[in-house]
Amino acid sequence: MMKLKVFRFDQETGESHYDTFEIEPSAGMTVLSALFKIQEEFDDSLAFRYSCRGAVCGSCAMLINKIPALACRTRIEPLLKGEGKIKLKPFKGMEETVSWNPENEVLVEPLPSLPKVKDLIVDMDKFFEFYRAVETTFKPVSEPPEKERLMQPDDVKELEKYTNCILCAACVGSCPVSGKDRDFLGPAALAKLYRFHIDPLEADDESRLMLANSKFGWWGCEFHANCRAVCPKGVPPIEGIGKARKEIKELGKKPD
Ligand code: SF4
Ligand code: FES
């Protein structure tokens, strides 16, 4: 048997507490499967988001043993063995103290830095507001060609690092700057903006760079690198942010 210590929150009363459930983990059981088991066998009021169950939709990100991760991709057994731990710089959710025994217990909490809605569900409005603010639509530099637009393999390789994002917000949850500054665009939006900036099929100018040329954009990052460490898709927001800053400096521009 093992225990799941789960954060509970009621938006109407503003009250929160932890509930502990004892379950028998099956082979290969994930945190998401364990939450389903709790819903089915103990408490059907437990609220959490999910959809694909296969690390594709990005909806099940939560704080698992104080690390932002996808519940559908995080298996219980390695957690109890203490495997796969990653070292992160202190961030908002990590600092909130709660005791649990990692040898037979898994701690499950909502992503930090985003407003809580119910239990493990957070409000993603601000996350998507920032995403829209960086104009995440392709702006081709030329008229549509007769056939497809061609790209060089090296360009595709560089772009792919950023296009793999599934909008789970794990990076935002782990980011110390997002935790203290609600106006910081955050790693996911900045990674997406950088992806369009380097797209060779867009205009080769500085317009994308200038969209986030402020302390709420590229210059707000403190290079803690938690974003890259927790991203389930290997997206490196910190890399794009660093390169964008270097380019802006080379252009002789100052942050707005
Ligand atoms: S960059 Fe990674 S961690 Fe951040 S939203 Fe995209 S997939 Fe999730
Ligand atoms: S349920 Fe879709 S990513 Fe986990």
Side-chain angles (χ1 to χ4, degrees), residues 3-9 16-22 38 43 45-46 105-108 119:
K3 293 175 186 166
L4 237 82
K5 188 165 184 171
V6 185
F7 183 86
R8 309 299 301 267
F9 176 70
S16 64
H17 65 276
Y18 288 84
D19 278 338
T20 300
F21 302 93
E22 210 167 75
I38 291 171
D43 185 350
S45 72
L46 177 63
E105 209 171 15
V106 173
L107 179 67
V108 189
D119 300 340

Side-chain angles (χ1 to χ4, degrees), residues 176-188:
V177 182
S178 295
K180 66 184 176 191
D181 184 351
R182 292 211 63 211
D183 293 320
F184 177 51
L185 285 171

Side-chain angles (χ1 to χ4, degrees), residues 32 49-60 70-72 166:
L32 186 64
R49 279 204 187 98
Y50 73 95
S51 180
C52 69
R53 306 188 195 194
V56 175
C57 72
S59 30
C60 70
L70 297 179
C72 70
I166 55 170

